[in-house]
Amino acid sequence: MSAPDLSERIRFFLLCALCVLAVNGNGALHAQTDASPSPLLLIADFNRGVQNHVGGFHNVSEQSPSAVSMTRVSEVFRGGGGRSLRITAMRKAGGFAAVWISFHDFRQRRKTYLDTGGYSHLSFWVKGKHGGEKFRIKLADGAWDARQDGLDIGPVSRFLPGGVTRAWQEVLIPFRAFFPLDRKAMSSLTFDFHAPGETTIFVDDIGFKRDPGFPTPLTPKATTQIGKQKDLPRAMWNWNPLPLLLDPLRQKDFLSFCKRERIARVWLQLPTRSVRSPESGMIVDRPAGGDFHVEILHPARMRSFLAAAHAEGIKVEALDGAPEYAVKKFHHVPLAIVDAVIAFNRESAPAERFDGVHFDNEPYLLIGWHFPEMRKQILKEFLELNLECQRRIRSRSDMVYGIDIPFWWQSVDPQTGKVIAPATLNGVEKAASFHSIDMLDSVGIMNYRNTADGADGMLAHGLELLEYADKARKARIYLGVETITEPPVDVWFPVGLPRKKAEEILKADAPGFFFLSRINGFRAHVLDDGANLHFGIAIPTGLSPKQYKSASDTLVKIAEMLGAPHAEPGNGRAEEIRRAAMRKIARAPEWKDPKVRNFPHPSGKSGYAGFQAKSLFLPKITFGAKTIREMRFEVRIAEEEFRAYDQYAGIAIHHYETYRRLVESTTIPEIRMK
């Protein structure tokens, strides 16, 4: 290292050491030294971690048809290395496109805004892709944050008379420019893109200064160099096993694809005799007075496939799952599957055995999930099932056992102020996600976002669980990405009723309703408008007249069971509840097109008030509408940080058929780690 590099590095770290965060009596964060604030309070340099130096995040704010994306990039930076934040906005006639940087951790229940009382200027550095880029600057304090908006300070040209160029320039905004914001409770900075068309800028080194002439230090090269990293293997779900078992050419093609895509572990749907009733879509009850057994189909072909996969260095785990498996009443089904796989392995040569069992049960799809006390019961039984599956596999085989869970179970539930998925196991209450990591061999996190960066990206959601796993030193963690797309689905609802009343009725008259994810074969949906719960079903396209009647009759039965209001002229209560539900739908990004829809009674009696809407598969969940280059770029960015955790096992891709279509839609080579 040269002398200038060393002195620059020492200077940089001395300045950062001065930027110490403390909490004042009002709960607001502020920079503090022994006597006075440091010359520079560095907020974000985008070099390490998804959170900035004061615990805040950055994220997009957009509304269609306008759009905006952002990510930290290592190709453009100030100084000898590091990263900057690249923002690309596409502004159209409608909607909006903005990026915000928060000065506090918005996830905390108690807001702790930033005290900047000792500083005179906000500073950040910007350069454009082409030069001449335009955007407006907004700042928010606690009051503006409560309104989910910011004070418009003006266009960037107000503070850069020559405008944005292709060279780095510092933007200095004096505090008098954003009077009357509360300088002791600053919340966020926003870049609002209003100019039509595409705009790309790079932002770096956001901070507050006591003296506008104080230089913002450059990032030294030595502090941000990343050595060459080995590519990590991946896992992949495959829900369609029969083509691989029945067609040798497709089997060979599948294994070749896995090798090309570094798939080292396949979670393969286990083909068994039916354990569901085709008429209702529900899992069958345990036969009275007898044991429940599961038969693995095509055992000889399965052994041949397993041997071929192992010859290519690919491990295979038996996959299955259903929301109802989480409920104790149906535990006999997954336990029978575990027993069947153990027995299959005992009867097979070593190369022809499964390497594990993997369940994807998704208990949050059960109706009872929407009732906090019932949710705790469901999660307790879910954990008890997995504990027993793990016990059987460890005691009777050399396989591993794993499950899939969503990334959000340990987040705070706004209804209760506690974690969304609390569960008590062996007298200890914690998030079910943490319990799962504590006791299992592997956990697949459905970390379904299509960007690595930002407050709602793969890193923000995945790192907390990796940090916990590294402390627990138990389960290996796979972080899943999604590649499917789904069209909007019509959902019909009878008008609902308050949560407490619905719970009382169901407990008294239909307790089994809590443990359904399907009703008469139709996928159940629950809409919570804040005051009432509405219970409906998804209506697939192309229903036959008989199926259409079945759907309508099902909704009438739901309405009768819950005592829903009738569709009668002048029924103000029904109209009031329906309007509240439709307002909720109009505001929610996962819903659209609310419409009035009533349900006539088959007998000709007065029918029931209701409504319909389209359920949307949010684009941010999946890479299905992206290119394979975009997916690989985001995964690479995420893995640069994921791989620092010992318990990180790799990316898991959902699922084979849609991922293959994405890969083969272009011929762009994979982006490799540097």
Side-chain angles (χ1 to χ4, degrees):
M1 181 185 298
S2 66
D5 283 342
L6 180 60
S7 62
E8 188 75 41
R9 186 177 185 183
I10 292 171
R11 183 184 184 194
F12 176 76
F13 283 114
L14 284 174
L15 286 169
C16 289
L18 291 171
C19 299
V20 179
L21 293 175
V23 178
N24 66 16
N26 297 322
L29 290 171
H30 65 100
Q32 178 181 323
T33 65
D34 290 341
S36 61
S38 60
L40 169 68
L41 173 57
L42 186 63
I43 301 297
D45 59 12
F46 307 107
N47 290 337
R48 297 287 186 186
V50 71
Q51 283 183 272
N52 59 41
H53 295 292
V54 294
F57 290 86
H58 51 275
N59 207 50
V60 303
S61 177
E62 62 184 359
Q63 185 179 80
S64 180
S66 298
V68 62
S69 64
M70 48 96 219
T71 191
R72 291 172 298 144
V73 294
S74 57
E75 296 81 14
V76 180
F77 45 79
R78 291 185 64 246
R83 290 174 174 162
S84 66
L85 185 68
R86 182 182 67 199
I87 303 171
T88 299
M90 176 57 73
R91 191 65 163 83
K92 297 189 177 181
F96 52 81
V99 166
W100 52 260
I101 297 95
S102 66
F103 305 150
H104 63 98
D105 187 347
F106 68 91
R107 302 172 304 176
Q108 302 302 316
R109 292 178 62 192
R110 183 186 181 204
K111 294 290 182 73
T112 52
Y113 298 114
L114 187 66
D115 184 347
T116 63
Y119 297 90
S120 65
H121 286 73
L122 169 69
S123 164
F124 66 87
W125 291 75
V126 64
K127 65 179 292 186
K129 181 178 180 180
H130 303 292
E133 288 80 3
K134 298 178 181 179
F135 58 92
R136 300 187 71 84
I137 300 166
K138 290 184 174 182
L139 280 164
D141 59 9
W144 278 96
D145 180 51
R147 295 159 59 181
Q148 297 184 343
D149 202 352
L151 177 67
D152 190 339
I153 304 301
V156 67
S157 58
R158 176 182 174 187
F159 308 100
L160 281 181
V164 176
T165 69
R166 296 179 65 185
W168 284 112
Q169 297 183 87
E170 184 178 21
V171 177
L172 282 166
I173 304 175
F175 270 104
R176 64 176 180 272
F178 44 94
F179 178 83
L181 295 181
D182 183 355
R183 291 166 56 182
K184 292 184 177 293
M186 295 300 293
S187 174
S188 64
L189 165 68
T190 297
F191 303 119
D192 186 6
F193 297 89
H194 60 286
E198 183 175 305
T199 299
T200 297
I201 62 170
F202 301 86
V203 176
D204 206 354
D205 295 327
I206 300 170
F208 290 93
K209 291 185 173 183
R210 293 177 59 196
D211 177 356
F214 185 83
T216 305
L218 299 173
T219 303
K221 182 177 181 180
T223 64
T224 56
Q225 285 181 325
I226 299 175
K228 186 175 182 179
Q229 301 281 358
K230 183 179 179 181
D231 290 319
L232 290 171
R234 296 168 177 168
M236 183 173 67
W237 288 266
N238 186 336
W239 295 100
N240 189 15
L242 292 184
L244 311 184
L245 302 183
L246 303 180
D247 186 337
L249 292 178
R250 294 183 72 172
Q251 178 184 122
K252 182 178 179 180
D253 184 53
F254 171 77
L255 295 175
S256 296
F257 177 81
C258 289
K259 291 289 286 184
R260 290 195 304 273
E261 294 298 313
R262 304 200 321 273
I263 307 298
R265 186 173 297 270
V266 173
W267 296 323
L268 182 69
Q269 171 68 57
L270 188 69
T272 63
R273 71 177 181 87
S274 177
V275 295
R276 294 180 177 86
S277 165
E279 291 78 22
S280 67
M282 292 307 306
I283 297 170
V284 298
D285 289 329
R286 180 193 297 272
D291 292 330
F292 183 86
H293 297 284
V294 166
E295 176 188 354
I296 297 176
L297 302 178
H298 309 292
R301 292 178 182 271
M302 180 63 77
R303 291 185 176 98
S304 176
F305 170 76
L306 292 169
H310 291 149
E312 296 292 342
I314 299 168
K315 295 184 181 296
V316 182
E317 297 182 28
L319 171 67
D320 200 34
E324 288 79 6
Y325 286 1
V327 181
K328 189 172 184 178
K329 177 182 178 181
F330 299 118
H331 282 183
H332 60 281
V333 179
L335 291 176
I337 291 171
V338 168
D339 290 343
V341 176
I342 292 172
F344 176 93
N345 275 10
R346 285 177 178 169
E347 298 167 2
S348 305
E352 299 173 340
R353 296 172 182 168
F354 284 102
D355 299 286
V357 176
H358 196 90
F359 279 120
D360 183 7
N361 290 335
E362 302 184 85
Y364 46 87
L365 297 179
L366 297 172
I367 291 170
W369 182 268
H370 297 271
F371 301 87
E373 289 305 312
M374 192 60 62
R375 182 186 306 175
K376 292 183 74 171
Q377 177 184 333
I378 290 169
L379 285 168
K380 181 176 183 294
E381 294 178 7
F382 169 79
L383 292 174
E384 289 171 346
L385 166 68
N386 290 310
L387 195 61
E388 177 59 18
C389 290
Q390 180 71 86
R391 186 196 68 78
R392 293 189 186 193
I393 286 174
R394 283 181 180 165
S395 63
R396 303 178 192 174
S397 77
D398 58 359
M399 293 187 293
V400 297
Y401 177 68
I403 63 171
D404 298 323
I405 61 173
F407 66 76
W408 43 264
W409 272 1
Q410 66 284 344
S411 301
V412 174
D413 186 340
Q415 290 181 9
T416 64
K418 299 180 180 180
V419 296
I420 288 176
T424 301
L425 188 67
N426 298 326
V428 177
E429 180 171 306
K430 63 173 75 173
S433 49
F434 295 154
H435 276 305
S436 300
I437 291 170
D438 287 340
M439 67 187 189
L440 304 180
D441 292 324
S442 73
V443 175
I445 308 298
M446 291 179 281
N447 199 35
Y448 293 165
R449 289 294 183 266
N450 63 13
T451 58
D453 222 334
D456 194 24
M458 289 187 279
L459 287 167
H461 297 310
L463 290 177
E464 180 182 9
L465 291 164
L466 285 174
E467 289 168 2
Y468 183 87
D470 266 16
K471 292 176 183 176
R473 312 299 296 178
K474 298 290 178 62
R476 298 278 287 161
I477 304 299
Y478 294 89
L479 289 168
V481 294
E482 182 64 274
T483 63
I484 70 171
T485 57
E486 293 183 0
V489 176
D490 284 322
V491 183
W492 298 351
F493 295 92
V495 164
L497 64 167
R499 184 191 314 273
K500 186 173 180 59
K501 185 174 181 181
E503 187 171 16
E504 291 172 353
I505 291 172
L506 292 176
K507 282 182 176 179
D509 300 332
F513 194 71
F514 288 118
F515 307 125
L516 302 181
S517 68
R518 290 182 176 272
I519 307 170
N520 289 340
F522 298 98
R523 171 66 64 86
H525 281 259
V526 180
L527 176 71
D528 183 352
D529 68 15
N532 297 284
L533 293 182
H534 309 269
F535 303 90
I537 58 174
I539 308 298
T541 57
L543 290 183
S544 67
K546 181 179 179 181
Q547 292 169 322
Y548 188 91
K549 183 178 184 303
S550 174
S552 184
D553 291 348
T554 297
L555 289 159
V556 168
K557 289 178 181 178
I558 293 172
E560 287 178 331
M561 177 177 63
L562 294 171
H566 289 275
E568 298 171 336
N571 190 337
R573 174 172 168 267
E575 284 303 316
E576 180 183 350
I577 297 173
R578 178 158 53 195
R579 281 196 298 269
M582 295 175 75
R583 285 195 299 269
K584 168 70 174 182
I585 289 169
R587 295 191 303 267
E590 65 271 21
W591 294 97
K592 73 172 185 177
D593 296 344
K595 297 177 183 177
V596 171
R597 184 181 194 95
N598 296 327
F599 304 102
H601 198 284
S603 67
K605 296 188 300 184
S606 176
Y608 293 92
F611 57 94
Q612 69 179 62
K614 290 187 181 296
S615 173
L616 306 179
F617 192 78
L618 294 178
K620 70 178 182 180
I621 293 173
T622 180
F623 285 101
K626 301 281 188 178
T627 66
I628 190 62
R629 177 186 284 276
E630 290 171 320
M631 175 177 170
R632 287 169 174 165
F633 175 81
E634 298 295 341
V635 168
R636 176 175 66 86
I637 293 295
E639 284 208 302
E640 285 182 359
E641 298 195 32
F642 290 159
R643 68 194 311 129
Y645 294 86
D646 293 337
Q647 297 304 111
Y648 177 59
I651 290 290
I653 300 168
H654 188 261
H655 57 89
Y656 166 60
E657 292 173 341
T658 53
Y659 178 55
R660 180 153 192 167
R661 285 198 292 270
L662 184 63
V663 169
E664 294 179 348
S665 64
T666 60
T667 57
I668 298 170
E670 179 163 2
I671 300 171
R672 295 284 178 171
M673 294 292 297
K674 293 182 179 179

